[in-house]
Amino acid sequence: MASLPPSPFDRDRRNRRTLVATAVVGLSMLGLGFASVPLYRIFCEQTGFGGTTSRAADDKAARAVIGRTMSIRFDSNVQPGMPWKFYPEHPTDTVTVGAKDMAIFIAKNMSDRPVTGTASFNVTPTQAGGYFTKIQCFCFTQQTLQPGEEVRMPVLYYIDPKILDDPDNRDTQQITLSYTFYPVEQGKKAS
């Protein structure tokens, strides 16, 4: 017995279902595309992935571990063409793990016009990023320097004592905190 070909009504119904399923998948992918940047940022902040640091409130209690110190190296860069001098006041510091500490970076606008910049940062070794906790940082907001203006910009931070229990950081004796300043175009906000 030969089977009957599908009726035009059945084909139209299957085509509509396929179209709806494709539209739902397409809209879902579009939504994930928009959500991916904030979700990735949250993932990196929570895990320290890629050397991303943690962020804490100023009133969060850090527990100093007496006798356990770590060397912190500060690195500074500006995007080529940005007319700023930017450098750490002290290139290294030795801190007690868990104790709050402060580093100062100095920036000077070498141009004859106001320049707004935003800083990106990372920590190496990358597995230590999740334990480097910033309380206050100039990198949280854009910075505008007037022509010839020089400013001191603080970073208040601590190394989370949990780093001492992490087998991936067993040999970590020095952490490098690196900043790069980029110009912010007029009329655009940094993300």
Side-chain angles (χ1 to χ4, degrees):
M1 178 178 262
S3 63
L4 295 173
S7 73
F9 177 74
D10 289 339
R11 274 194 307 257
D12 287 346
R13 209 166 82 189
R14 269 197 317 251
N15 287 343
R16 276 194 300 272
R17 273 197 311 238
T18 302
L19 179 65
V20 167
T22 303
V24 167
V25 168
L27 290 173
S28 298
M29 292 176 76
L30 181 66
L32 280 174
F34 280 107
S36 65
V37 171
L39 290 174
Y40 182 72
R41 184 177 296 135
I42 291 167
F43 169 77
C44 289
E45 287 173 356
Q46 295 300 314
T47 64
F49 182 75
T52 303
T53 62
S54 298
R55 189 171 174 178
D58 190 22
D59 59 353
K60 183 177 179 188
R63 175 182 51 89
V65 180
I66 305 302
R68 299 300 300 262
T69 61
M70 196 164 286
S71 174
I72 309 298
R73 187 175 86 76
F74 302 104
D75 178 53
S76 59
N77 306 281
V78 293
Q79 180 181 19
M82 183 166 186
W84 282 14
K85 269 180 129 174
F86 174 57
Y87 57 95
E89 187 172 59
H90 302 287
T92 60
D93 192 8
T94 300
V95 300
T96 299
V97 173
K100 291 180 185 176
D101 203 14
M102 182 169 55
I104 302 290
F105 283 78
I106 299 167
K108 182 174 183 177
N109 181 353
M110 306 301 287
S111 76
D112 59 355
R113 61 181 171 76
V115 176
T116 300
T118 187
S120 66
F121 58 87
N122 69 352
V123 169
T124 53
T126 56
Q127 71 269 16
Y131 300 104
F132 195 101
T133 305
K134 292 182 191 175
I135 300 166
Q136 290 179 323
C137 183
F138 59 86
C139 61
F140 296 160
T141 59
Q142 295 178 358
Q143 306 296 319
T144 300
L145 299 182
Q146 297 303 314
E149 181 181 14
E150 181 175 288
V151 295
R152 294 168 44 95
M153 300 182 295
V155 179
L156 187 59
Y157 68 94
Y158 66 91
I159 307 302
D160 191 320
K162 292 176 187 170
I163 195 170
L164 300 173
D165 300 325
D166 183 353
D168 290 334
N169 282 290
R170 179 174 320 151
D171 298 325
T172 301
Q173 295 178 10
Q174 183 177 66
I175 295 175
T176 300
L177 175 61
S178 181
Y179 288 100
T180 302
F181 255 106
Y182 298 91
V184 175
E185 295 178 33
Q186 297 297 77
K188 290 188 179 182
K189 292 188 177 194
S191 55

